[in-house]
Amino acid sequence: MSNWIKVKLGDIVELKRESYQPKPDEVLPYIGLEHIGQGTLRLISVGKSNEVTSTKSYFSKGDILFGKLRPYFRKVVRPKFNGVCSTDILVLTSKNPRKFNQTFLFYLMASQEMIDLATASSSGTKMPRADWKVLQNLEISIPEDVNEQERIGKILETIDDKIDINIRMNKTLEEMAMTLYKHWFVDFGPFQDGEFVESELGVIPNNWKIGQVKDLAKVLSGKRPKVKDIGEYPIFGGGGPMGVTNEYLYNEPIFITGRVGTIGKVFRVSKPCWPSDNSLVLIPLKAYYYSFLYAVLKNIDFSLITGGSTQPLITQTSLKSIKVIIPPEETIEQYNKQVLTYYSLIDKNDNINKQLSEIRDYLLPRLLSGEIDVSKAEKQVEEVL
């Protein structure tokens, strides 16, 4: 094991302060706190610079983006592209990459210990923000040998790379399911030899009908959780997971979409969870409606039913009343069987990713403290992957 030395965070990590003023005719990738997953060390999505107005900060590929607003949410990412970000995000980089490995520093900033220290340094009660003036003076221990730092970073990065592979695989699997949906229920490929009739949604096969979302699902509103940030059950808002709580509201396959604020995203959830009061919940009326309903919801233009003067709003009534093409029961059931393999693989990959994240977060503090020998950790990760 190499020697470990004590250093101040500000002596190894540099805060970048290059400002950017958004321009209507210039489009750069934009990252706000809403685009960063809570505790996942991953981006949920990426925005556009011409969709925001206030001053932002430049970041470069490989920089560490550390969410300073409510730092206990552990919103830390390392983008693989250049862009701009919210000023509620610290843009950090190694002061000397030859001495302080950037990947090692990323996991250092993402460690729970650092998150706890950042939270303790926060000022403000309703909107606590981590203070870099305090953080830069924190004394921490790191391996003196940059090669040892690199090995530690590589171990953790290898786990995250595997998670990314599974995420990309899931995206492909879902695209395959959606392609089949379009072939069957938009282009009517397998039914071209049959008779077609006019309907209010266009030409459809003769024995199909026009119905509403409420014919496929029960639509309910989410609720405000009693407890936040304690527990194991994810809280879902319109933009996705937004925290945890100690009890669940649903323990069955459901869909969650935004009711107010973030509108248009649809989340397929099959594990115990708590949909928040800014979301709507859809429960399929029949089990074999599940995959078909998901595809229907993913193809809805939610802007057509969005109201609200100050911020976007969707009501239960407006969602229930959306008109949709409904094929015969046996056709829906057949489609569900066809895509079941895709979604089973997606769920399997999600479970694997959860386990990999837990392994990464178990190893992270122990590698950063020298508690676990790096060579042993390398072998353990190699066996797992």
Side-chain angles (χ1 to χ4, degrees), residues 176-240:
M176 290 168 66
M178 292 300 168
T179 298
L180 186 62
Y181 170 84
K182 182 178 183 296
H183 178 59
W184 281 31
F185 305 114
V186 178
D187 300 331
F188 309 118
F191 315 104
Q192 288 297 327
D193 292 338
E195 184 181 350
F196 282 74
V197 295
E198 288 287 345
S199 78
E200 54 191 307
L201 295 182
V203 176
I204 61 173
N206 185 37
N207 58 340
W208 296 25
K209 65 181 181 180
I210 302 301
Q212 296 177 313
V213 167
K214 67 181 180 181
D215 297 322
L216 299 171
K218 192 175 183 180
V219 181
L220 303 166
S221 294
K223 296 182 180 180
R224 185 185 297 271
K226 299 173 187 176
V227 177
K228 288 184 178 181
D229 303 322
I230 298 175
E232 59 178 303
Y233 303 110
I235 301 170
F236 275 82

Side-chain angles (χ1 to χ4, degrees), residues 45-298:
S45 59
V46 178
K48 297 177 181 178
S49 63
N50 63 341
E51 295 175 350
V52 292
T53 54
S54 59
T55 301
K56 305 303 174 187
S57 300
Y58 276 109
F59 65 82
S60 300
K61 176 182 178 180
D63 282 345
I64 301 161
L65 303 189
F66 184 94
K68 68 177 182 179
L69 176 63
R70 299 190 179 98
Y72 48 81
F73 283 146
R74 197 184 176 211
K75 295 197 170 191
V76 190
V77 291
R78 192 180 173 201
K80 297 178 180 179
F81 51 85
N82 300 331
V84 296
C85 65
S86 163
T87 53
D88 276 324
I89 295 174
L90 299 174
V91 182
L92 308 171
T93 192
S94 171
K95 275 198 167 180
N96 185 347
R98 292 184 178 181
K99 295 178 66 176
F100 313 117
N101 179 262
Q102 182 80 348
T103 304
F104 173 85
L105 294 178
F106 167 66
Y107 288 107
L108 172 68
M109 295 306 302
S111 67
Q112 192 58 51
E113 181 182 7
M114 186 60 68
I115 297 301
D116 292 341
L117 290 169
T119 301
S121 79
S122 299
S123 56
T125 51
K126 291 185 178 180
M127 303 282 277
R129 286 178 169 83
D131 188 346
W132 177 248
K133 291 180 181 178
V134 177
L135 289 178
Q136 68 180 345
N137 289 312
L138 293 175
E139 192 173 71
I140 56 174
S141 294
I142 65 169
E144 184 176 18
D145 184 357
V146 69
N147 293 320
E148 188 85 348
Q149 297 173 24
E150 186 176 357
R151 288 174 69 192
I152 290 172
K154 187 63 178 176
I155 291 169
L156 300 168
E157 188 176 46
T158 299
I159 297 173
D160 274 326
D161 286 345
K162 175 58 178 174
I163 293 173
D164 286 337
I165 289 171
N166 287 342
I167 290 172
R168 290 195 296 271
M169 188 185 301
N170 282 358
K171 183 179 179 183
T172 300
L173 289 166
E174 184 166 310
E175 287 172 352
M176 290 168 66
M178 292 300 168
T179 298
L180 186 62
Y181 170 84
K182 182 178 183 296
H183 178 59
W184 281 31
F185 305 114
V186 178
D187 300 331
F188 309 118
F191 315 104
Q192 288 297 327
D193 292 338
E195 184 181 350
F196 282 74
V197 295
E198 288 287 345
S199 78
E200 54 191 307
L201 295 182
V203 176
I204 61 173
N206 185 37
N207 58 340
W208 296 25
K209 65 181 181 180
I210 302 301
Q212 296 177 313
V213 167
K214 67 181 180 181
D215 297 322
L216 299 171
K218 192 175 183 180
V219 181
L220 303 166
S221 294
K223 296 182 180 180
R224 185 185 297 271
K226 299 173 187 176
V227 177
K228 288 184 178 181
D229 303 322
I230 298 175
E232 59 178 303
Y233 303 110
I235 301 170
F236 275 82
M242 52 181 289
V244 293
T245 187
N246 60 354
E247 57 182 329
Y248 57 82
L249 195 57
Y250 292 94
N251 186 19
E252 60 186 310
I254 61 173
F255 302 107
I256 300 172
T257 191
R259 183 186 66 85
V260 62
T262 303
I263 301 296
K265 294 183 178 181
V266 180
F267 299 94
R268 191 180 65 90
V269 186
S270 56
K271 294 182 178 180
C273 66
W274 188 291
S276 73
D277 52 346
N278 68 359
S279 67
L280 291 171
V281 179
L282 296 99
I283 306 173
L285 295 180
K286 296 180 181 179
Y288 60 81
Y289 283 1
Y290 193 68
S291 299
F292 176 74
L293 177 61
Y294 181 52
V296 167
L297 294 172
K298 293 285 283 187

Side-chain angles (χ1 to χ4, degrees), residues 302-316:
F302 285 89
S303 66
L304 299 177
I305 59 167
T306 301
S309 54
T310 56
Q311 59 179 334
L313 173 69
I314 290 178
T315 64
Q316 283 188 41

Side-chain angles (χ1 to χ4, degrees), residues 355-373:
Q355 294 169 6
L356 290 173
S357 295
E358 289 170 352
I359 292 170
R360 179 201 64 205
D361 290 342
Y362 172 82
L363 290 174
L364 200 161
R366 290 163 177 81
L367 284 168
L368 293 182
S369 66
E371 180 183 337
I372 293 181
D373 180 75

